[in-house]
Amino acid sequence: MSSDQDHLKETDTEARFEFKKEEKSAFQTEKGLTEETIRVISEDKDEPEWMLERRLRALEQFRQMPMPEGWPGAPDLSEVDIEQIVPYIRPDIETRGGAESWEDLPEEIKDTFDKLGIPEAEKNALSGVGAQYESEIVYQNMQERWEEKGVIFCDMDKAVQEHEDLVREHFMTKCVPPSDNKFAALHGAVWSGGSFVYIPEDTTVEMPVQAYFRMNSEGMGQFEHTLIIAEENSEVHYIEGCSAPKYSAFNLHSGGVEVFVGENAHVQYSTVQNWSKNTYNLNTKRAICEADGTMEWVSGSMGSKATMLYPSTVLKGPGATDNHITIAFAGEGQDIDTGAKVYHNAPDTKSTIESKSISKDGGRTNYRGLVHIADGAENSSTSVECDALMFDNESTSDTMPYMEIQENKVDVAHEATVGKIGDEDVFYLQSRGLDDDDAKQMIVAGFIEPITEELPIEYAVELNRLIELEMEGSLG
Amino acid sequence: MSTQVHANLTASQVEQISEDLGEPEWLLETRKDALGALDDLEMPDVIRTPGRKWTNLDALDYETLVDPLDYAQEKDRIDAEGVDVLSWSEALDQHGDRIEEHFGSVVDPQRDYLTALSTALFSAGTVVYVPEGVDAEDVKIRTTMNSRSLFNYTLVIAEDSASVTILERQTTGEDSEARSASDASGGTASEGARYYSGVVEAVAGENAYVQYGTLQNLSEESYNYQVKRAHADTYATVDWIEGNIGSRLTKSNVETRLLGDSSESKIVGAFFGHNDQHFDIASRVWHEAEHTVADLVTRGVLDDESRSVYEGVQDVGREAWDTSSYQRENTLMLSDESEADASPKLIINNHDTEASHSATVGQVDDEDMFYMTSRGVDPERAKNMLVEGFFVPVLEEVAVDELREDLDALIVERLTA
């Protein structure tokens, strides 16, 4: 598919959305998310009946389920007014693709792109200004290279049409059912866009599969769904593409990620998220790992106003392994509540969680994790390590691990430390000629190195730059 | 479920307890307020994770357990020179004003349903008053519970530069009166079930030192709820030792607020569960001043179908500059049917902090076993030695010889039972 055709397709969809918008304005006064809205989304996507039914069921569950309340120290979600959910979707449809032109973007976003050294064309794509086809080129290349091996990489809406059986079997059935939590239910009702990745048996995709620009190219990327199916003995590294500051007119992101790791398969899922600072990031990500499979989550959480995200893995088959590497950076007004969940449901399973967080200028980070070792999960082992670095007295850093151990032949270890940035380290670097800011940046870069070394070089560089910018913003 | 209990309780019962103890009006009012608040109060917080509640306090069957006017007990109080160790009625006579000043100042009488119940109904207890500058060793309080339910309330007041070590032992004895009451009512409660509730408030003045050790060895049909909480003033040190051996269900909270600069607290816990015992143990410390130090150490062993729930909280406040805070929790599981749940929490609001926590769960080390059996120690004995050794780091923290020896003896007894 050429980029021109792609663009035409987009324009066409836009026109249809415009039409729907007029139609929807008829029930504008209705509060909350209505069945009608769901039907409009589903119809527009020309979805099969079963998907519409799933959406409607999810909507029903969303209505019945409580907000995540009563959690110790949970981020304040009072601003997330469920009754206002519809208005959140509508501006999305209206401003799909973000701003009209580069000039309309907020100064801070433009500035960030400049500082990141991103070229003009790329900036446009990242900010959602026009030209969404950039992402399709990524897909195109991917498809040409792997198509003959049977690898599928396409957007989720397309997958529903073209790979219906696979999607029907796996979509929010076993991994993230809508009943999981209120925002998973919301996601199930209004999801749109996202990626579908299928790796057949015995296939290794050597290069990372990236949905880098993908988020902005879809109108309702705020509720994107990612479904990855890695069959036996396959291997893939998927990189989620919100690694740029995301400009958005509204402020709720509720994505869903489902990963199926087949026997002896290996999936790495990397994210560097940097949502705009008015965004509530309430994602649900989960993997189910069969015997001897390996799941790896690597994530950097930079942006958003509040994040509640606990990527989780169910170690279902014997010998399955799960590794988490996370880094959270909370600046002024940010509450990054993130961690990991692992269910050891089979013998000889292993997990490691390595979490690093930095808080400054009144930001709050929290590691909230759950390790569950079921009765019968013999010879399982888990190790959790959390390190927090704090810059100032206004900031908060919490650690709240939960461990449920029902099996005695296990090895469970949790360790967490908190400390301020070392005066002596800063002094040492200063005495070697670095100024205060540079010294602190260097210390932070060293602190997060275990994360950056897991990422492909361009992401590592970008993560470092984003952190530099965060530091600069407050220190300057 | 609160209505279930409440039906049993009346203001006139509270009045009678108050009269028996010769209480002043303000204390009666505090009790009545607590009684009146029961309807609106929740059970103490328990940890919830997706789909689970770590401790089910609703298992308490008050209808048959709580008999406010029966509080048969034996109480031994051994005081040390210069310190007053008094029953409530004596204490109210001699230190009425001091008690009025401190009662409920550390533990909110209406902190939750079970604490309010204790406030309203406590009939037993002790006041320990250590005057300024007095150095008092080895105060001992032994409570033997001879009734079906017992509400114990201990107030410790250590004035500036005073020092005291207190050893409290809790056991169950004959249950004569309550058992006959239960027979009369048709005996719906599980045979021998009892409810023990203890509140300890400790006030440590400037430069004071308080060590409060508890050895809980109630019968294994007992339900046990305890709140122990201290305020530490400038340069004060409050150390808690918490040994849990008995009871069927224990929900225990041991807490220190470090309110004065350079104050310190150590919370040391040991538990050993077997059969279907359930220990829910929380250690919490709040750093609210500068240069404060806390150390939380807990070790537990679980056998059979027993279960432990551990929560440790180190909360460093905005103004707590130069804080040092450490926490370690280790659980040894001897049986595949047991369960160990843990949540060691760090809440840090001041960056000038050195804080760490760690928690481990594991089994008796295979290599250690191999080493010992290869040296001719039979496996059973080798295991027992390793378990006993596992408690050593905790036992070493216990300053009172008697408490350490008793705890060790109970551990050995359990191992060889």
Side-chain angles (χ1 to χ4, degrees), chain A residues 393, chain B residues 287-290 316-321 349-350:
Chain A
N393 189 33
Chain B
H287 296 264
E288 298 179 58
E290 298 183 21
V316 179
R318 199 69 76 200
E319 302 309 318
W321 297 90
N349 288 297
N350 187 304

Side-chain angles (χ1 to χ4, degrees), chain A residues 248-283:
Chain A
S248 154
F250 63 101
N251 54 14
L252 174 63
H253 171 247
S254 188
V257 174
E258 300 183 281
V259 184
F260 291 87
V261 184
E263 268 185 41
N264 202 36
H266 185 159
V267 177
Q268 180 173 340
Y269 190 108
S270 304
T271 317
V272 179
Q273 74 88 358
N274 191 31
W275 299 100
S276 64
K277 288 180 184 154
N278 64 339
T279 301
Y280 286 88
N281 183 35
L282 308 165
N283 258 327

Side-chain angles (χ1 to χ4, degrees), chain B residues 84-203:
Chain B
D84 291 344
V85 182
L86 306 166
S87 72
W88 270 92
S89 43
E90 290 168 325
L92 286 164
D93 268 354
Q94 295 176 33
H95 300 288
D97 292 347
R98 283 201 181 87
I99 293 171
E100 185 169 4
E101 185 191 340
H102 294 294
F103 188 94
S105 68
V106 180
V107 176
D108 176 1
Q110 298 177 21
R111 131 189 195 130
D112 53 50
Y113 184 89
L114 295 180
T115 307
L117 195 68
S118 248
T119 310
L121 300 180
F122 82 87
S123 52
T126 305
V127 174
V128 179
Y129 171 67
V130 196
E132 189 171 336
V134 169
D135 193 357
E137 294 293 325
D138 295 347
V139 170
K140 287 165 197 162
I141 306 166
R142 183 196 295 272
T143 306
T144 308
M145 172 182 184
N146 286 332
S147 46
R148 190 147 263 248
S149 61
L150 191 66
F151 297 87
N152 207 12
Y153 204 111
T154 306
L155 176 63
V156 179
I157 304 168
E159 295 201 330
D160 294 355
S161 301
S163 148
V164 64
T165 58
I166 300 164
L167 165 56
E168 184 191 10
R169 271 177 290 209
Q170 299 155 346
T171 51
T172 31
E174 274 307 298
D175 174 22
S176 51
E177 289 182 51
R179 195 174 299 276
S180 57
S182 150
D183 290 344
S185 69
T188 48
S190 64
E191 204 57 39
R194 303 186 187 195
Y195 178 59
Y196 180 89
S197 173
V199 175
V200 178
E201 284 192 280
V203 183

Side-chain angles (χ1 to χ4, degrees), chain A residues 172-394:
Chain A
M172 297 193 84
T173 48
K174 300 168 239 190
C175 200
V176 179
S179 58
D180 189 75
N181 67 71
K182 192 169 183 76
F183 292 96
L186 175 67
H187 174 85
V190 303
W191 79 273
S192 182
S195 299
F196 177 73
V197 180
Y198 178 83
I199 315 293
E201 274 183 39
D202 304 319
T203 307
T204 299
V205 181
E206 287 99 359
M207 65 176 281
V209 176
Q210 310 182 38
Y212 193 85
F213 308 145
R214 187 70 176 59
M215 309 277 285
N216 284 318
S217 71
E218 285 301 315
M220 296 170 71
Q222 307 304 107
F223 299 98
E224 83 287 351
H225 192 91
T226 304
L227 178 55
I228 299 172
I229 303 167
E231 301 280 18
E232 266 182 62
N233 300 315
S234 69
E235 190 172 339
V236 67
H237 181 182
Y238 177 86
I239 300 185
E240 191 175 62
C242 38
S243 62
K246 175 132 172 66
Y247 170 54
S248 154
F250 63 101
N251 54 14
L252 174 63
H253 171 247
S254 188
V257 174
E258 300 183 281
V259 184
F260 291 87
V261 184
E263 268 185 41
N264 202 36
H266 185 159
V267 177
Q268 180 173 340
Y269 190 108
S270 304
T271 317
V272 179
Q273 74 88 358
N274 191 31
W275 299 100
S276 64
K277 288 180 184 154
N278 64 339
T279 301
Y280 286 88
N281 183 35
L282 308 165
N283 258 327
T284 307
K285 297 183 175 180
R286 186 167 305 140
I288 295 178
C289 209
E290 304 291 342
D292 299 316
T294 301
M295 180 67 209
E296 295 188 77
W297 298 97
V298 178
S299 50
S301 296
M302 307 285 304
S304 85
K305 178 170 192 172
T307 286
M308 287 176 84
L309 171 61
Y310 322 97
S312 58
T313 300
V314 180
L315 297 170
K316 192 181 160 202
T321 301
D322 175 47
N323 301 315
H324 288 259
I325 299 180
T326 71
I327 176 161
F329 193 128
E332 188 180 352
Q334 289 184 277
D335 188 342
I336 312 287
D337 200 290
T338 186
K341 276 201 287 187
V342 190
Y343 293 87
H344 290 257
N345 288 349
D348 306 311
T349 49
K350 285 184 177 46
S351 64
T352 62
I353 298 168
E354 198 176 338
S355 163
K356 301 247 177 193
S357 72
I358 301 163
S359 54
K360 67 193 294 282
D361 299 328
R364 172 183 182 265
T365 59
N366 183 22
Y367 170 81
R368 195 188 297 274
L370 172 65
V371 174
H372 181 95
I373 300 189
D375 194 4
E378 283 185 11
N379 302 317
S380 290
S381 68
T382 180
S383 127
V384 182
E385 259 181 72
C386 306
D387 293 316
L389 190 62
M390 292 176 76
F391 267 81
D392 51 62
N393 189 33
E394 312 308 312

